Amino acid sequence: MSVIFLSVILGVILTACGGEEPAEFIYEHLEEAVQIEHSVADKQGPLTEAEQLEHEWYEEMLALSDEDEIQELSQQAIESAEERRTLMNDEKVIIEEAYEEFQQSKEFITELDEEVATHAVQLVQTMEERYELYEQLFNKYNETIELDIELYELIAQEDLTVEELQEQHDLVNEAYEEINELNNNFNEKTVQYNEEKREFYEVAELNVVYEDA
């Protein structure tokens, strides 16, 4: 199994803000989006813990011969996977809220000078690509939860064959490999966005101080 780790957007503080310039309005929406998205980190710990527990229970089930004990662990693992689904849905709500806040910055781009606007447009494109990657990651992770549940149900069957178990195990592993790739792409896009946001603030001549990630 694999643990999802989403990198977050870096936050900044504007040290001097008149609140009148288009770039400053954009700044306000960008940084409000950052604050919203930071709460995603609260979901990552429980997700990681649940995945690790399920992995331990799965290994334990493979070593057990008592059907009742296997059934009990299987049910625990299924309930844990369902909890992960809930956590992912909660996380998606946060990501969508942050994205909607980000979208509000776009209306001020036409008021920027040409050079600054060019950087802002690039920033928007990168965020659009980042959000699309998150959508793919979210959908794939939910599909993989279904595969996990099928695996936990399968291992509890008395007439299970080694071939059937191996086939499902391989499907799960392949799915997590895809999740790893998507997650890496998402994190790379986040790094790109952070760099482009820094460039935008510099070109817009906004006096900002960067917070710790």
Side-chain angles (χ1 to χ4, degrees):
M1 291 186 180
S2 168
V3 175
I4 282 190
F5 178 78
L6 303 180
S7 61
V8 297
I9 300 172
L10 297 178
V12 305
I13 299 172
L14 190 60
T15 58
C17 179
E20 298 296 333
E21 297 297 324
E24 292 173 351
F25 285 121
I26 291 175
Y27 157 85
E28 290 172 2
H29 288 297
L30 298 189
E31 296 312 312
E32 178 59 27
V34 170
Q35 293 306 312
I36 293 169
E37 188 172 315
H38 273 180
S39 58
V40 164
D42 296 335
K43 310 297 179 186
Q44 292 300 308
L47 267 176
T48 301
E49 183 179 351
E51 285 192 354
Q52 290 173 342
L53 277 174
E54 287 171 43
H55 179 70
E56 291 171 8
W57 289 335
Y58 177 68
E59 292 294 323
E60 190 174 345
M61 281 186 277
L62 290 175
L64 287 171
S65 57
D66 186 283
E67 289 295 335
D68 290 337
E69 292 180 357
I70 294 173
Q71 289 278 356
E72 183 178 349
L73 284 177
S74 170
Q75 188 57 41
Q76 286 179 208
I78 290 170
E79 290 172 2
S80 176
E82 293 290 359
E83 288 172 7
R84 282 193 289 129
R85 193 202 309 277
T86 299
L87 286 168
M88 284 298 294
N89 288 337
D90 291 345
E91 178 184 277
K92 191 171 192 293
V93 169
I94 295 168
I95 295 290
E96 287 177 342
E97 184 182 349
Y99 180 66
E100 288 170 7
E101 180 66 34
F102 172 87
Q103 294 282 71
Q104 295 182 52
S105 68
K106 292 162 66 173
E107 64 182 277
F108 300 101
I109 293 177
T110 56
E111 301 175 35
L112 297 169
D113 293 339
E114 184 176 353
E115 182 183 2
V116 181
T118 299
H119 282 79
V121 169
Q122 178 59 51
L123 193 65
V124 168
Q125 180 179 333
T126 299
M127 176 56 87
E128 299 282 357
E129 293 169 356
R130 180 177 181 268
Y131 182 74
E132 183 179 338
L133 281 168
Y134 179 80
E135 287 275 287
Q136 295 175 29
L137 181 57
F138 172 82
N139 291 333
K140 190 63 188 180
Y141 192 79
N142 273 324
E143 289 175 14
T144 306
I145 286 175
E146 289 297 329
L147 291 174
D148 281 330
I149 290 173
E150 290 173 14
L151 180 66
Y152 304 146
E153 290 175 339
L154 193 64
I155 199 172
Q157 294 178 8
E158 293 184 20
D159 58 349
L160 173 68
T161 67
V162 173
E163 290 76 15
E164 289 172 332
L165 182 62
Q166 187 63 52
E167 181 179 357
Q168 186 65 24
H169 180 86
D170 290 344
L171 286 175
V172 169
N173 282 344
E174 289 171 10
Y176 274 106
E177 286 176 7
E178 291 182 45
I179 286 174
N180 274 335
E181 182 177 357
L182 284 170
N183 195 59
N184 288 336
N185 292 341
F186 177 87
N187 289 341
E188 288 172 4
K189 191 61 65 174
T190 301
V191 170
Q192 180 184 344
Y193 176 85
N194 284 332
E195 292 172 351
E196 291 175 359
K197 189 175 74 163
R198 185 188 295 268
E199 291 171 2
F200 168 72
Y201 287 157
E202 289 176 357
V203 173
E205 297 182 349
L206 294 177
N207 296 317
V208 299
V209 176
Y210 283 82
E211 301 173 326
D212 294 332

